[in-house]
Amino acid sequence: MQKIIVGNLKMNMENIATRNAYCKELIAKSTKMTTKNTVVVCPPTIYVEYFCRALQNTPIRVGAQDCFWELYGSFTGNTSPQAIHALGGRYVIVGHSERREHNHETNEDIVNKIHGALRCELTPIVCVGFLSHGDEMESIHNQINALTEGLGAAAMQKIMIAYEPVWAIGSGKTPTSDDIHTMVMYIRSLIAQNCGKEQSLSVPILYGGSVTPHNARALCVDAHADGVLVGGASLAADRFMHIVRAISL
Ligand code: PGA
């Protein structure tokens, strides 16, 4: 089955020369790339237009790291999903744990943002994870139920989910392939309960948290995840492409 490899550049590349060099290297590496997998890079919003132009003749697609639920209007500082699409973006990360934490985004905000993204034909990559102390299964259960209830079966089929245990993000620590497989199956069973078994099979479930070229195959292919969401290791174009290659072998 096709895998999805997403790079989340977060709030990096604050220097134009770094951004330009990154895109140049990504273009050079991707022209040699033969993969049937989907590769997406999500730069800071302010660079979405630049990345879309730079990568337009490559197989790499571009996404944003967040969007607002309204398409336009008096919402100072927010990003229109319609503008992301108009610039060439086709994906948007929604509900990353860093936004849930620093921007206090709730499940309700996240559902609204997904609706906004879907109205503009963006594919939402929706992050779920274990945020605080307590029971991980319960936390995932609450987040997935908020999605299935707020979106309904038809919209659920248009999103991707990224399972990201917060303790694994940027820490160098990862769950085992078996642990990831268990959570992927659990998330799929929750979707099946609320939306039907058939529908649950069409929702890609990615893993994210300390993915590197070295562990990518284990955390994705061996774990039966449908792809990976990569933070730190996507910041160097060659490492990111190594991950793509490792998963495409
Ligand atoms: P990391 O980040 O790969 O640096 O752990 C993953 C993420 O935050 O999506």
Side-chain angles (χ1 to χ4, degrees):
M1 193 189 165
Q2 230 208 12
K3 303 286 185 195
I4 302 138
I5 300 128
V6 184
N8 174 10
L9 303 183
K10 305 197 178 181
M11 201 180 75
N12 292 299
M13 310 214 166
E14 62 284 9
N15 170 321
I16 301 287
T18 317
R19 176 200 72 178
N20 295 358
Y22 180 88
C23 276
K24 208 171 155 193
E25 195 174 355
L26 211 52
I27 294 165
K29 294 269 191 290
S30 67
T31 49
K32 294 180 208 136
M33 178 178 89
T34 48
T35 179
K36 53 183 180 351
N37 295 326
T38 301
V39 183
V40 182
V41 65
C42 300
T45 312
I46 201 162
Y47 294 153
V48 166
E49 182 170 17
Y50 180 89
F51 271 65
C52 286
R53 279 182 205 273
L55 301 176
Q56 64 183 338
N57 295 322
T58 76
I60 302 177
R61 297 162 199 191
V62 178
Q65 296 173 17
D66 178 52
C67 68
F68 196 56
W69 49 78
E70 296 292 347
L71 275 46
Y72 60 88
S74 302
F75 306 104
T76 304
N78 282 305
T79 303
S80 158
Q82 194 165 18
I84 295 168
H85 189 273
L87 294 173
R90 291 294 176 266
Y91 296 81
V92 62
I93 299 171
V94 181
H96 191 281
S97 60
E98 286 155 12
R99 292 202 62 86
R100 290 184 192 251
E101 185 188 345
H102 302 299
N103 300 71
H104 311 290
E105 289 190 3
T106 63
N107 286 332
E108 196 187 342
D109 296 335
I110 289 159
V111 164
N112 289 336
K113 287 181 174 200
I114 296 169
H115 280 302
L118 290 176
R119 281 171 69 197
C120 302
E121 291 174 39
L122 298 175
T123 300
I125 303 161
V126 185
C127 301
V128 298
F130 182 44
L131 283 178
S132 52
H133 297 291
D135 187 290
E136 177 170 28
M137 294 288 198
E138 194 185 314
S139 180
I140 296 289
H141 184 273
N142 292 340
Q143 290 176 49
I144 295 292
N145 277 7
L147 291 178
T148 56
E149 278 163 24
L151 296 175
M156 275 303 286
Q157 283 182 275
K158 297 186 179 146
I159 73 167
M160 298 180 186
I161 290 185
Y163 162 61
E164 297 207 306
V166 176
W167 56 265
I169 295 178
S171 66
K173 295 184 198 138
T174 60
T176 64
S177 310
D178 284 350
D179 291 342
I180 295 170
H181 186 211
T182 304
M183 286 313 288
V184 167
M185 302 278 284
Y186 179 60
I187 291 169
R188 213 174 282 297
S189 74
L190 293 171
I191 300 171
Q193 269 168 32
N194 296 336
C195 303
K197 188 159 186 279
E198 276 299 285
Q199 282 79 354
S200 79
L201 296 174
S202 62
V203 181
I205 303 176
L206 282 51
Y207 165 77
S210 294
V211 175
T212 65
H214 179 69
N215 64 21
R217 222 181 142 71
L219 302 181
C220 180
V221 181
D222 299 352
H224 303 280
D226 297 311
V228 283
L229 178 54
V230 188
S234 68
L235 285 176
D238 61 335
R239 291 192 86 206
F240 186 48
M241 284 297 130
H242 264 118
I243 292 174
V244 174
R245 273 200 300 280
I247 290 175
S248 304
L249 281 176

